[in-house]
Amino acid sequence: MLGSLRADMSRQGVQTPQKGCCNACEKPIVGQVITALGRTWHPEHFTCAHCNQELGTRNFFERDGRPYCEPDYHNLFSPRCAYCNGPILDKCVTALEKTWHTEHFFCAQCGQQFGEEGFHERDGKPYCRADYFDMFAPKCGGCNKPIMENYISALNTQWHPDCFVCKDCQNPVKGKSFYAMEGKPVCPTCVGVDDDE
């Protein structure tokens, strides 16, 4: 058919030079041509390798020498966000052996994005410092708040140094001697015993 069209046009004085062979159908190209990936195509044959939609002059991506439309390329080959499972098209965070959209990498408890403090991990989930310690750190026997740094271990629990005080007089328990009442330290003075005894 194309041969007879060229012959008819040639008889009428219209020259139709061949512009190569189409990479898809292997037939000569006369008229519009698309040159991409180092090959030539009829416009209707330059299609996405996945959905077969014409690419024409639209943006496309190449993978293993085959053209893909932008949506298919990202759905098939872009890394996936660990939170929403959507393709990551721009910046991403790589943490906990996963990839995340930057806006989807946040504390699993409060939902706040991480700042300069970074994050803490527990069971594969990221947490901000405050929530991590609130949820997983041992609690002080005096104030019941999380222990984040130095502590005293006594009476089968941990204490902030400032919270390890006499149950009665609220003074810090000094030295090695103290008594226990209802699971709390009591200084020798409040018990009525001389410190030196």
Side-chain angles (χ1 to χ4, degrees):
M1 182 173 143
L2 185 59
S4 63
L5 177 62
R6 287 181 67 199
D8 289 343
M9 292 178 78
S10 183
R11 270 186 243 120
Q12 293 178 10
V14 178
Q15 294 300 317
T16 54
Q18 183 176 324
K19 298 176 182 172
C21 285
C22 176
N23 187 64
C25 70
E26 298 181 2
K27 292 187 178 170
I29 300 172
V30 176
Q32 285 189 324
V33 63
I34 291 184
T35 302
L37 307 174
R39 294 169 271 178
T40 54
W41 316 73
H42 289 113
E44 65 273 15
H45 291 158
F46 185 59
T47 59
C48 172
H50 184 72
C51 70
N52 293 319
Q53 287 209 356
E54 284 185 33
L55 294 172
T57 57
R58 294 180 4 200
N59 288 341
F60 71 93
F61 291 86
E62 177 269 334
R63 175 87 176 225
D64 298 327
R66 299 173 60 187
Y68 290 87
C69 65
E70 199 167 351
D72 283 344
Y73 181 85
H74 290 305
N75 283 326
L76 293 168
F77 306 115
S78 291
R80 296 277 172 183
C81 175
Y83 177 75
C84 72
N85 200 36
I88 299 173
L89 310 180
D90 200 8
K91 296 177 185 173
C92 74
V93 173
T94 302
L96 306 174
E97 299 179 8
K98 299 175 186 171
T99 53
W100 316 71
H101 288 112
T102 54
E103 65 273 16
H104 288 162
F105 188 60
F106 49 76
C107 176
Q109 181 66 17
C110 71
Q112 292 293 313
Q113 286 189 306
F114 302 112
E116 292 184 19
E117 282 188 348
F119 68 95
H120 296 269
E121 179 268 338
R122 176 80 175 239
D123 298 327
K125 295 180 183 176
Y127 295 93
C128 66
R129 177 180 169 86
D131 284 336
Y132 179 84
F133 283 107
D134 188 49
M135 294 171 66
F136 305 115
K139 304 297 185 271
C140 174
C143 68
N144 205 34
K145 291 183 180 172
I147 296 176
M148 299 180 174
E149 294 179 14
N150 298 335
Y151 65 91
I152 294 170
S153 184
L155 302 173
N156 295 321
T157 192
Q158 289 91 29
W159 307 77
H160 292 115
D162 293 343
C163 295
F164 194 64
V165 297
C166 175
K167 174 181 174 271
D168 294 337
C169 70
Q170 299 299 307
N171 287 323
V173 175
K174 296 178 181 173
K176 297 178 185 177
S177 300
F178 65 89
Y179 294 87
M181 296 182 95
E182 300 169 5
K184 304 285 183 185
V186 180
C187 65
T189 306
C190 288
V191 174
V193 177
D194 188 8
D195 235 348
D196 297 332
E197 290 180 16

